């Protein structure tokens, strides 16, 4: 007799079901994480895409329509709201969600809110200024997954398999009685989607991601902008690999870079020092030092795996 895993949530409301949000929805269906998936889109024209791609069981273009009671009776489990929009839209949407829940969900049903934002300090600071109903809380998440592609048409249930998702327990906001439930529940949620969950503080997260994610994106953009259209014919696989990130959504990335600008500027300063050092080695034709750095970098890259 097959073992059927328990359902974690009655309903998952995914606000912004693009690549990440859509992949959450597909992985949630694969892992039997919830009973109902509701997608909230800005453009009504995207509703058929969500339904045809199997990204949502129900799709709406108005946020308040996602909180109707028709899905609530599906089970006794809590509900989850996943905010999967550009970073600077998350605090505003969280405020809108809390306003709706104040009005339509005053009962005992528990509501958990999380997000996929690539920066956390600004989101957490804004969340701490909001008024949470007694049965609602927020705990931040960030899956280290994705690509330069966007949109629900590129979503896949396997996006989070063997990837790390960071959660930020010190950024918890909301009902104190839910604090002991939030971390294990949100952790199990991401694990059921295929992730390995790592807890970090908000500042640890933003500092680390400045180095491992945001700095590489700026490097990719800077390198791409060095090339003119007349030089594209000479761009080989190395240049293509190094500039792949530059094809990412500018709408998404401008929010990330601005909300983590101080920590990113610090890491850029370290990179500039390293590049100046390379410039000096080249000018001196210091072969031995260059070989040492190449070998050191090779070991680090091999340790990352494919």
């Amino acid at each position: 007799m097959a073992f059927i895993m328990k359902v974690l949530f009655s309903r998952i409301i995914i606000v912004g079901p693009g690549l990440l949000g859509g992949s959450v929805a597909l992985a949630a269906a694969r892992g039997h994480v919830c009973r109902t998936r509701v997608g909230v889109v800005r453009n009504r024209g995207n509703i058929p895409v969500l339904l045809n791609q199997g990204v949502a069981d129900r799709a709406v273009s108005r946020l308040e329509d996602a909180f109707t009671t028709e899905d609530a009776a599906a089970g006794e489990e809590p509900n989850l709201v996943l905010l999967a929009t550009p970073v600077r839209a998350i605090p505003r949407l969280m405020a809108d969600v809390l306003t709706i829940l104040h009005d339509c969900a005053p009962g005992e049903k528990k509501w958990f809110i999380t997000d996929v934002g690539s920066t956390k300090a600004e989101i957490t600071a804004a969340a701490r200024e909001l008024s949470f109903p007694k049965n609602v809380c927020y705990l931040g998440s960030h899956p280290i997954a994705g690509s330069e592609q966007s949109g629900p048409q590129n979503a896949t249930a396997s996006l989070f398999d063997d990837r790390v998702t960071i959660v930020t327990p010190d950024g918890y906001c909301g009902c104190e009685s839910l604090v002991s439930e939030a971390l294990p529940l949100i952790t199990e949620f991401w694990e059921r989607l295929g992730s390995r969950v790592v807890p970090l503080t908000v500042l640890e997260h933003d500092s680390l991601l400045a180095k491992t994610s945001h700095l590489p994106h700026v490097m990719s953009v800077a390198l791409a902008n060095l090339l003119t259209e007349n030089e594209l014919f000479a761009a080989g696989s190395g240049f293509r690999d190094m500039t792949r990130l530059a094809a990412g959504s500018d709408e998404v990335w401008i929010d990330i870079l601005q909300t983590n600008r101080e920590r990113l500027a610090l890491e850029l300063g370290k990179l500039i020092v390293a590049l100046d050092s390379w410039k000096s080695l080249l000018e001196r034709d210091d072969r031995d030092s260059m070989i040492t750095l190449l070998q050191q970098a090779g070991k680090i890259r091999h340790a990352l795996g494919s």
Side-chain angles (χ1 to χ4, degrees):
M1 182 175 178
F3 174 73
I4 300 176
M5 299 182 77
K6 68 175 182 178
V7 171
L8 296 180
F9 300 105
S10 291
R11 168 176 35 173
I12 297 179
I13 296 173
I14 300 168
V15 184
L19 173 68
L20 284 176
S23 295
V24 166
L26 293 173
R30 181 189 68 176
H32 306 288
V33 171
C34 64
R35 300 181 186 278
T36 306
R37 302 161 303 153
V38 183
V40 183
V41 296
R42 287 185 297 183
N43 182 351
R44 273 194 73 82
N46 289 330
I47 290 178
V49 176
L50 295 188
L51 300 177
N52 292 337
Q53 295 283 121
V55 169
D57 302 303
R58 188 163 68 88
V60 298
S61 59
R62 297 195 322 152
L63 182 62
E64 54 267 39
D65 291 341
F67 293 82
T68 58
T69 57
E70 61 189 82
D71 303 313
E76 296 303 315
E77 302 85 5
N79 291 320
L80 177 70
V81 179
L82 177 79
L83 302 176
T85 63
V87 170
R88 281 202 156 153
I90 289 174
R92 172 181 56 80
L93 287 165
M94 196 184 310
D96 292 342
V97 166
L98 293 176
T99 297
I100 293 168
L101 290 178
H102 270 294
D103 294 337
C104 75
E108 297 304 315
K109 186 108 172 176
K110 298 171 185 175
W111 287 80
F112 293 85
I113 303 172
T114 193
D115 67 309
V116 298
S118 293
T119 64
K120 284 289 173 276
E122 190 168 296
I123 294 171
T124 300
R128 286 175 174 154
E129 298 298 318
L130 299 175
S131 173
F132 283 76
K134 66 175 184 176
N135 55 334
V136 183
C137 73
Y138 163 75
L139 182 67
S141 307
H142 178 208
I144 313 299
S147 76
E148 72 280 8
Q149 303 296 324
S150 61
Q153 68 275 12
N154 294 302
T156 171
S158 62
L159 186 67
F160 310 106
D161 289 353
D162 301 317
R163 300 297 183 91
V164 167
T165 292
I166 297 171
V167 296
T168 52
D170 73 318
Y172 176 88
C173 302
C175 176
E176 288 302 318
S177 67
L178 296 181
V179 67
S180 63
E181 298 180 46
L183 181 58
L185 184 60
I186 297 301
T187 296
E188 184 176 358
F189 167 67
W190 287 109
E191 288 176 343
R192 291 272 290 272
L193 300 189
S195 281
R196 177 169 64 89
V197 175
V198 176
L200 293 177
T201 69
V202 168
L203 292 182
E204 285 173 341
H205 170 274
D206 286 6
S207 296
L208 182 59
L209 269 292
K211 180 183 295 185
T212 61
S213 176
H214 311 158
L215 180 63
H217 194 88
V218 170
M219 292 169 58
S220 182
V221 169
L223 185 59
N225 283 330
L226 287 178
L227 204 65
T228 68
E229 289 189 10
N230 292 334
E231 297 169 326
L232 290 175
F233 74 94
S237 60
F239 192 91
R240 291 173 185 272
D241 289 346
M242 289 289 291
T243 57
R244 176 183 60 82
L245 298 176
S249 165
D250 58 301
E251 179 187 18
V252 170
W253 274 99
I254 189 60
D255 279 8
I256 293 171
L257 300 181
Q258 285 189 301
T259 55
N260 207 23
R261 60 190 181 277
E262 292 180 359
R263 284 164 286 274
L264 176 55
L266 179 64
E267 296 303 329
L268 273 170
K270 296 176 184 177
L271 176 63
I272 290 168
V273 170
L275 292 175
D276 280 340
S277 177
W278 266 100
K279 180 173 179 289
S280 177
L281 293 178
L282 289 166
E283 290 170 343
R284 300 197 315 267
D285 195 19
D286 188 341
R287 175 185 173 87
D288 289 343
S289 294
M290 286 190 284
I291 288 176
T292 297
L293 290 173
L294 290 169
Q295 291 175 341
Q296 178 182 324
K299 289 179 181 178
I300 293 171
R301 183 60 186 88
H302 287 308
L304 282 174
S306 58

